[in-house]
Amino acid sequence: MEGDVCSFPPNSSDDHSQRGSVASSATLSHSQDVLIYLFGDSAVHLSIEGLGSATVQELGRTVREALHVPESAQDAFAFWLSSPLLELQLKARHQPYKVCRQWQDLLYRFTEASEEDISQDEPCLQYRRNVFYPKSKELQIEDEGVLRLLYEEAKSNIITGRYPCDPEHWASLGGLSLALNEGTGLDRQKLTTTIREKKLSSFLPAHVATGGGGLFSTLRGKSSRQAGLEQNLLEEYRKINISGDSQQDSELLQLYLRTCHSLPYYGCAFFDGEIDKPAQGILQRVKRKAVNVGISLEGVYVMDVKEKHVLLGLRFNELSWDHSYPEGEGDSHILWLEFDGDEDGTPVNKLLKIYSKQAELMSGFIEFCVELRSVSEGGATAETDGDASRSQQASGKDDSKHERGGRRGMLRRQSSVVCSRVHSLNTINYVDNGKEIKCLKPRRAASFFARPTSGATYSSVQVTESLEQG
């Protein structure tokens, strides 16, 4: 196998023809050309013998050589099959070509996409951050090439709104992106010209750069809003003062990533789902809202797709979970999240239903993350609790000592976009004695309502080998 890095212009139309990185070749016994996509509008071009049987592990060696990824950072990245409809991280033993051949079956199983969309969808093979790579190890990386790869992915997630962030964060990150793209020595006039040529959406989240409100309010306030955002970027740019020209980019990249680390869902794998909206009246039919569910080594985060803020953030020691299959036609797969809360001052247990055909994937992913944490917690991974969600505060006890039978940390309502909005969730509430459990449907194979005093800390459904993540 041979590999080199090539660049290509961004495609804003999501042309499906450009996504065919591994699945379009018919004869696979001889050398085949493959593109491994990277964030930042570039790709690694590989020439591979026996593509049909090539594994992720074999591809990884060639890509790392092409990108000069040092051995110390080789676990920071993984191969993903991604399309607008589904994203899957592959294991070392997986054969990407064979998984691509099954892509339509996976879409029918794990998405609500129409038959037409499924028939046109084709995945690309991406080399991107490994969701199981600890933040503590990432902070030790000094190689500029590796930092650049991580930066491009983090920036994409900020720009697209996948990582919700507060104004102080997106302004700071926008200034850092401006400095990384244009250097740190530009005067105000050149900076203003650059920002206007490349547009604010190149540095700030799209929903921030384009603004909100109706047509007339947008037209009235567009000029002043643009000027205000430009001023914010200029101020953040002026704050950047790093000594040492040879290390300047490395330090900027590290600063950008450290800022992203303050977001509790940094590095998550994301899944699509829906939750019930709070009922507006007794006779009104309950509607649903679209959510992104982020899962990492630290916890689970449910985010509002439209409003770009966190609805619920839970560390693993603050939740129980389960997955239920549809019982009849028209029913949905459901991921159940249980956590502690209060109702008019009374401590209650809350259940959130997340409707998604990816519920089984999410349940298996959570289980795998919990197992990894239980293995590593004896070592030097205690930092993960310190970096986890700012959306929860302990109720006076050490969260690390919470057992399955005890009370978990109570969630507090806060105004930051990274903090939970439990008050806006339509949850099922019940008390510790379980009097209201009988009205919950569907029944689960492994119920988390019984609280044993000993035994397993977490309860979950069993997931088949084909659905394990990692």
Side-chain angles (χ1 to χ4, degrees):
M1 305 180 195
E2 297 179 354
D4 60 88
V5 180
C6 58
S7 297
F8 53 87
N11 186 350
S12 60
S13 63
D14 266 335
D15 186 356
H16 294 290
S17 64
Q18 202 174 45
R19 294 187 172 275
S21 54
V22 294
S24 57
S25 300
T27 304
L28 302 173
S29 58
H30 57 281
S31 179
Q32 297 288 327
D33 290 336
V34 177
L35 288 177
I36 311 296
Y37 289 78
L38 309 172
F39 282 93
D41 302 321
S42 61
V44 179
H45 179 206
L46 300 179
S47 181
I48 301 176
E49 297 284 347
L51 175 61
S53 59
T55 65
V56 164
Q57 187 172 16
E58 294 166 347
L59 292 174
R61 286 194 292 266
T62 307
V63 172
R64 288 194 295 272
E65 290 176 4
L67 296 175
H68 307 291
V69 176
E71 185 176 351
S72 60
Q74 65 179 8
D75 293 334
F77 301 100
F79 285 90
W80 292 67
L81 279 177
S82 302
S83 81
L85 301 181
L86 185 65
E87 298 180 353
L88 295 175
Q89 179 172 317
L90 303 180
K91 294 183 177 181
R93 59 176 172 76
H94 281 148
Q95 298 172 336
Y97 177 81
K98 292 183 177 179
V99 179
C100 280
R101 302 294 290 180
Q102 303 170 5
W103 191 250
Q104 287 194 3
D105 294 334
L106 293 172
L107 294 181
Y108 278 114
R109 183 177 180 184
F110 295 120
T111 75
E112 301 284 356
S114 66
E115 187 171 345
E116 181 181 359
D117 288 341
I118 288 176
S119 66
Q120 296 178 356
D121 191 67
E122 189 173 347
C124 66
L125 187 60
Q126 287 186 310
Y127 190 66
R128 52 193 269 197
R129 191 185 188 281
N130 178 3
V131 71
F132 303 116
Y133 194 69
K135 291 182 185 178
S136 57
K137 289 187 177 181
E138 184 175 309
L139 289 172
Q140 299 171 15
I141 294 175
E142 297 181 350
D143 183 88
E144 185 172 324
V146 174
L147 292 172
R148 178 74 63 172
L149 290 173
L150 293 169
Y151 157 76
E152 292 290 355
E153 181 172 352
K155 178 186 174 184
S156 174
N157 287 328
I158 292 292
I159 296 296
T160 59
R162 175 168 272 190
Y163 289 169
C165 52
D166 293 314
E168 62 268 24
H169 282 128
W170 53 249
S172 173
L173 293 172
L176 288 168
S177 290
L178 184 58
L180 283 164
N181 285 9
E182 308 300 329
T184 57
L186 297 183
D187 59 32
R188 183 184 181 88
Q189 183 175 355
K190 289 183 179 179
L191 276 176
T192 302
T193 301
T194 298
I195 293 172
R196 291 175 180 174
E197 287 178 350
K198 295 193 174 182
K199 298 184 179 181
L200 287 168
S201 57
S202 299
F203 308 103
L204 302 177
H207 65 282
V208 172
T210 57
L215 173 62
F216 294 108
S217 63
T218 300
L219 292 175
R220 278 198 310 269
K222 183 176 181 179
S223 178
S224 60
R225 178 180 175 81
Q226 294 273 10
L229 292 174
E230 288 176 6
Q231 181 63 30
N232 287 342
L233 271 182
L234 293 173
E235 290 176 359
E236 292 297 330
Y237 180 87
R238 286 199 296 266
K239 292 178 183 177
I240 298 170
N241 184 19
I242 300 177
S243 60
D245 291 339
S246 62
Q247 296 298 316
Q248 191 174 70
D249 277 0
S250 300
E251 294 181 17
L252 288 171
L253 292 167
Q254 288 175 324
L255 183 56
Y256 191 100
L257 291 171
R258 283 199 300 271
T259 303
C260 288
H261 282 194
S262 66
L263 303 174
Y265 28 79
Y266 173 79
C268 280
F270 289 90
F271 303 85
D272 297 328
E274 292 181 325
I275 62 173
D276 292 323
K277 291 183 177 180
Q280 300 298 315
I282 298 177
L283 300 179
Q284 185 177 9
R285 183 179 178 181
V286 176
K287 298 180 180 180
R288 296 179 183 176
K289 71 166 63 180
V291 295
N292 281 334
V293 182
I295 303 173
S296 71
L297 288 174
E298 297 166 3
V300 180
Y301 305 91
V302 182
M303 287 164 275
D304 191 312
V305 171
K306 181 180 179 181
E307 300 298 333
K308 307 298 182 186
H309 59 217
V310 173
L311 296 169
L312 180 66
L314 296 167
R315 289 175 284 187
F316 289 126
N317 59 352
E318 295 173 318
L319 66 86
S320 298
W321 84 98
D322 205 351
H323 159 242
S324 61
Y325 293 90
E327 286 193 335
E329 187 176 351
D331 291 342
S332 302
H333 288 264
I334 297 175
L335 179 72
W336 301 79
L337 298 180
E338 183 214 31
F339 56 97
D340 293 342
D342 70 82
E343 192 70 23
D344 297 327
T346 302
V348 297
N349 295 78
K350 290 180 173 287
L351 271 175
L352 179 66
K353 297 165 64 175
I354 301 175
Y355 305 92
S356 175
K357 291 185 76 172
Q358 298 174 15
E360 188 175 5
L361 284 177
M362 288 188 268
S363 180
F365 209 96
I366 292 172
E367 183 173 14
F368 192 83
C369 289
V370 169
E371 290 175 355
L372 283 180
R373 281 181 61 88
S374 65
V375 170
S376 62
E377 277 177 350
T381 58
E383 60 85 27
T384 55
D385 282 338
D387 288 338
S389 173
R390 287 170 16 189
S391 58
Q392 298 86 34
Q393 302 290 332
S395 58
K397 294 184 180 180
D398 184 357
D399 282 340
S400 64
K401 298 180 181 179
H402 286 172
E403 296 182 352
R404 188 65 188 89
R407 298 293 300 177
R408 295 175 293 273
M410 196 77 70
L411 300 183
R412 295 177 59 187
R413 187 184 310 175
Q414 299 183 37
S415 59
S416 169
V417 299
V418 306
C419 295
S420 295
R421 289 160 171 77
V422 182
H423 63 286
S424 68
L425 297 175
N426 186 354
T427 58
I428 300 170
N429 300 331
Y430 68 95
V431 294
D432 283 341
N433 60 17
K435 288 182 179 180
E436 297 180 37
I437 295 175
K438 60 183 179 181
C439 67
L440 300 180
K441 293 183 179 181
R443 297 177 61 186
R444 285 158 292 285
S447 175
F448 45 53
F449 298 122
R451 293 175 174 269
T453 56
S454 61
T457 304
Y458 302 92
S459 64
S460 64
V461 294
Q462 294 298 317
V463 180
T464 61
E465 168 67 15
S466 62
L467 292 176
E468 289 180 350
Q469 298 296 305

